[in-house]
Amino acid sequence: MVGLLLVGVVAGLIAGISPCIVPVLPVVLVAGAAGGEEGSGRKRAVGVVAGLVTSFSAVTLGGSWLLGALHLPQDLLRDIGLVALGLFGLGLLVPAVGDVLARPFERLTPRRRPSSDRAAFGLGLALGALFVPCAGPVLAAISVVGASHHVGIESVLLTVCFAVGASVPLLFVALAGDELVSRVTQLRQRAPLVRQLGGAVLMVMALVIGLNLTDGLQRLVPGYTSTLQKEVEGTAFASSHLQALTGHGGGSFSACDSSVLEDCGAAPAFRSVTAWLHTPGDRPLPLASLRGKVVLVDFWTYSCINCQRTLPHVEAWYSRYRADGFVVVGVHTPEFAFEHVVSNVAAAAGSLGVGYPVAVDDDYATWDAYHNEYWPAEYLVDAEGRVRHVHFAEGEYTQTEGLIRKLLVAAHPGTVLPPPTGLPDRTPDEATNQETYLGYERSQFLVGGQVVPDAPGSYSLPTTVPPGGYALSGTWTVGPESATAGAGAELELGFQAKDVYLVLGGTGTVT
């Protein structure tokens, strides 16, 4: 459990330096710069972060359940956060209003603490309801647990650890604001004006966040933390523990995450869909009714910036190949409570240019049927209804489009396809090995022989091991998620990377 919590903290740190924090940066900067009493900036910064951790954890794990139990709209907490953020801005802009707003927090903390510090905690509570960090496996698992109402002590601790990690970079931003004011004499002498400007910034940001006006900027910034995120959250250790947390075995199609077409089994049907968008009459679109067509099942959620950056490619494929028998079904599985509201999904789909069918998967039934763990995730299904390729996260668009074209030609021999879309891929593309697993559930990079599952087997190294591949020699016992070395065991890897890490357990000597 301790290892998983450490993963949660590091995953939060990565989320805290990702492009997704752009909307909250001005708010936390103001929290440090627009302090009240002399020297209170640091306390305000800590108060804002503490409030954010508290609010984000509670909203993510229990917000959906609470709103459902009270029969309230799922986006109510977000709306309350927006209103509160605007009111705090008004309180800084008009001191008399600020005094009134600070009174409720005087009962929550000792009276010796300045009222501005107490209000800072309240500002953090509002900000936590609006905080939308970039999605990775850890946040996905937390969201699944919260949405399915299976919250336990482990999920609570993991959520808090993630929130703390994500808040650390924000704390430094808030402290930088305080340091700026304390060092610049002119700002220090005009503290009331600084507070009023900070209030104006908060009110503007409430409007900007409410109208999702920062999404375009966030989409323009490449997902520079994606590789780091995979290194931390995509390990076998993290995956197995997160799967245990969410209650399913996970990754039944993960072996299809390769550069070639494979047969990974029948594609599960769409299950318990809350609503359908962009179908005739918004009627259900059963997967079985799409036999004979090539289908891309794309798991996404509208506030996920990673998902938003993939949408132009998915939309271009749909537009280019729709006449040739290609269909996209976007399975919208919500990450946060406000994304459960169908009207919000419809509005976001319209603003993002999504014109293909969308299945609103509020109950995570289709997500669970695919044992999915990621936003975004793409499952390419052939004309016979078989999953032939899977891709998680951003990138590799040219490869995916090439596989779509192959399946279309195979489904309709003689078809003359239009030229490829040719959209530029802005995902960082440094050449490195993919995450490699030694267990037989994800042994797609093994070369030179077949795995003997769950029993000692004798292996021999091939003449060469290509880049990205690995081979075994000697005696190995290969299980579903690991391989145990025996007599004369050797492992050879063809790699291109700055560093190579091997996850090890047990006792012995490794050379």
Side-chain angles (χ1 to χ4, degrees), residues 89 104 115 135 139 151 222-223 256 297 369 378-379 385 423 434-435 445 449 462 465 471:
S115 61
L139 186 54
V151 179
C256 268
V297 179
E378 296 166 348
Y379 295 78
L423 289 183
Q434 296 192 52
E435 191 89 13
F445 301 119
V465 177

Side-chain angles (χ1 to χ4, degrees), residues 154-244:
E154 188 172 13
S155 59
V156 171
L157 292 176
L158 179 63
T159 304
V160 172
C161 287
F162 178 89
V164 168
S167 298
V168 169
L170 300 179
L171 177 60
F172 280 103
V173 172
L175 293 175
D178 172 55
E179 188 70 13
L180 177 66
V181 172
S182 64
R183 286 179 177 271
V184 179
T185 305
Q186 291 180 338
L187 292 179
R188 206 165 52 239
Q189 292 174 343
R190 300 185 178 182
L193 178 61
V194 171
R195 285 196 295 272
Q196 289 177 327
L197 290 175
V201 169
L202 292 187
M203 295 179 70
V204 169
M205 288 311 302
L207 182 63
V208 167
I209 294 173
L211 297 177
N212 300 315
L213 298 181
T214 60
D215 288 358
L217 173 62
Q218 291 172 279
R219 289 195 295 270
L220 289 175
V221 181
Y224 51 82
T225 57
S226 298
T227 300
L228 184 60
Q229 188 179 63
K230 289 181 181 179
E231 291 293 329
V232 173
E233 302 179 62
T235 63
F237 172 84
S239 296
S240 62
H241 282 73
L242 292 174
Q243 289 161 15

Side-chain angles (χ1 to χ4, degrees), residues 29-91:
L29 185 64
V30 166
E37 292 77 0
E38 182 70 24
S40 69
R42 293 186 179 182
K43 294 180 180 179
R44 285 177 57 84
V46 173
V48 168
V49 170
L52 186 148
V53 170
T54 303
S55 178
F56 174 80
S57 302
V59 169
T60 303
L61 283 179
S64 179
W65 170 83
L66 177 63
L67 293 170
L70 297 176
H71 304 289
L72 295 172
Q74 287 288 322
D75 53 355
L76 178 62
L77 292 177
R78 184 174 187 268
D79 291 343
I80 292 174
L82 288 170
V83 172
L85 182 60
L87 288 175
F88 277 109
L90 181 62

Side-chain angles (χ1 to χ4, degrees), residues 12 15 67 116 120 129 168 192 195-196 216 224 272 288 325 345 347 352 394 397 448 468:
L67 293 170
S116 61
V168 169
R195 285 196 295 272
Q196 289 177 327
Y224 51 82
S272 300
V345 180
L352 293 169
E394 302 174 56
Y397 303 114

